[in-house]
Amino acid sequence: MSRQTFLEPFNAKAMSYAEVARTFVPSTKFTQLAGAWNSVLVGPRGGGKTTLFKMLSVEGQEAWTGAAAEPYKQTVAYTGVYVPSDIAWGTMLESLIEAGQDETVGILFSEAAFVTHVLLSVAIGIDRHVALNPVLRLEPGAETATDEPTQADLERVIATIARLWKVQPVSLSPASLVDALRERLLNIKRDTRLRAKLKLTDTPTQEYLGIDMLESASQALQAFDAAYRRPHHRWCLLLDEFEVAPMHLQKTVLAAMRASGAQKLLLKVALAPCGPDLLYDQQGSAPPSQNNDVQQVQLWYADKTEAIEFCQQVFLSRSSIYPALAGKMPSEVFGTSAYAVVDDSEDAAQIDLFTLTGRNKKQVTEQFQALAEKDPTFQEFLRRKQIDVSRELGMQPSDRHGNTLRKIAPLVAFRNAYKGKSVGKKRGVKPFNTAYSGWESIAAISEGNPRWLIGLITRIMSNNDQVQFPVPTPQQTAGVQWNCQRYAEMLQSVANEQFGSIKTSTPIYDVLSKIGDYFHNRLVTATFVEDPPMSFVVDERVSDDVEHALRIAVNHGAIVCYQIAADVGGFPTLRGLRFRLTYLLAPVFKLPMRKSKSVSLSTILEAKPETPTSQDDPTANPAGQLIQGDLWAN
């Protein structure tokens, strides 16, 4: 098996539309996003926002073939125009302000660059449509009565669009229109640099200033569709990575969403979960509403069953071309794991993980017995529950204490691996890596993030010189640990400022480490409880500086929110919200992957190292059980 090609990590931004479409796996997120409505797509880095947007574009739709694609393609009742982000939108504004220019002038040039960028993408879409649907070229004096668009129709509409957009193409063709807009982008950047360097103070008069994005694009597309005899056709702008755009541009686009629902042009915007504050006061007008103006889609999975199913489809889409894996399910390749318990549901798939026989059943029983011998608090727990670990342990619903035993089995294994014989002490042993092998664990660690999943599997399989299934546990855990450590190292180097508005003096990874160490200590050295806290609520005692560090962590997928973002564009504040560490950090901080109750973040940050509380934290969220229901609700 090739070391170079198997499940190679990808970044859709650098891939062609054909490459993205070749292994694209539609999900419920895609269905929610794809409809003929305005949308805001919210997700962390690597969550798949660019992939979804490229697949909604006309180029992505053309490249996506096969019977499975047709039902989804029918829901895309518009021509999608992909608009990549450009940091120049913000740097223009910054450079002019730094040079002493009036902020209004800077905003004008920044908006001009953005609008031209959008119009350029629209012009490319028009050019592509004409290439795929050529107009009739009639001979001079020929009959002109036809239902098909002619060359004369096309030239008239290009002339109309050129007047609307204030450009002068060298010929009346879509390609020439594209060239003229590219030239305008260069002119805008040149004019901006000159104003900044020469510190010009005169009033700018360039024709490209002040053009409205929505109106100029809509009117041009109305004229084009009229020429093609399809007046009711719709188009959609797909604005990717829009969190990098200056705040005034975000305001402009979100405001447009409130007015564009029934018009020619739909808007779909991709944003990080925590960007600049989008709850703005736009001269008294309200931001768009999720219920009335936009469909908001979040690229993280509240339902773990849905995430695992999506992960399986991603695996199958990329593994079927390899002879050794063709026709194999991921559970055959990686085996199963009884330690990937992330909730206490009694569905068949969960119970099957604990259908223990022979050697496996003996190993689990030995874990319970070993912990009971060295942990008086676990002995007390067993006494209260009337559980006799000297007898055979049954973990099916029909067994006595079956549900309880199944729920705590992973906790017992973790605690036994790390707990020393002295009260409150840990022992120095090798990491409990078995918990992070098996398909359920790999899928959970990926969080349903396709880039993370592909990276995990790529690393695991890259060392598989001889095909052996299931892949040996040491090989799986080595690949998982390598990826998780690289992710932790990335978080350690993350900048303490994002988008010019999220700034913190607290290193992001320091906060994550305090949270992870606290949970590990509660799991290992504190009094044994059936449900130790593994999640936290950002309470009012947490400083703004720490909250800003967490906002950056959210944007990188390092912490996962249990609740949906109620506001359009993500989370304007994290206070009062419940989070857990991403499972990609579970091997780093030696934590199980499970649903649990919560504790206030201020309690975690104020705890002294290696001295966790010996009983349940009285400040733990009293409504934790109600909140956690939101995470796994169907």
Side-chain angles (χ1 to χ4, degrees), residues 411-480:
L411 298 178
V412 170
F414 268 89
R415 190 174 175 94
N416 182 56
Y418 293 109
K419 187 171 180 60
K421 294 184 177 180
S422 302
V423 176
K425 297 295 183 181
K426 290 186 286 187
R427 61 176 181 173
V429 296
K430 293 182 179 180
F432 182 45
N433 284 337
T434 307
Y436 311 116
S437 64
W439 171 242
E440 294 81 11
S441 289
I442 292 170
I445 289 171
S446 79
E447 298 281 6
N449 182 319
R451 191 185 300 180
W452 290 0
L453 178 66
I454 292 168
L456 286 164
I457 297 176
T458 299
R459 188 68 188 184
I460 292 170
M461 299 305 297
S462 66
N463 297 319
N464 201 23
D465 290 321
Q466 296 181 343
V467 178
Q468 179 182 347
F469 301 125
V471 175
T473 296
Q475 182 176 323
Q476 291 188 47
T477 56
V480 168

Side-chain angles (χ1 to χ4, degrees), residues 138-144:
L138 301 177
E139 295 295 330
E143 178 61 47
T144 58

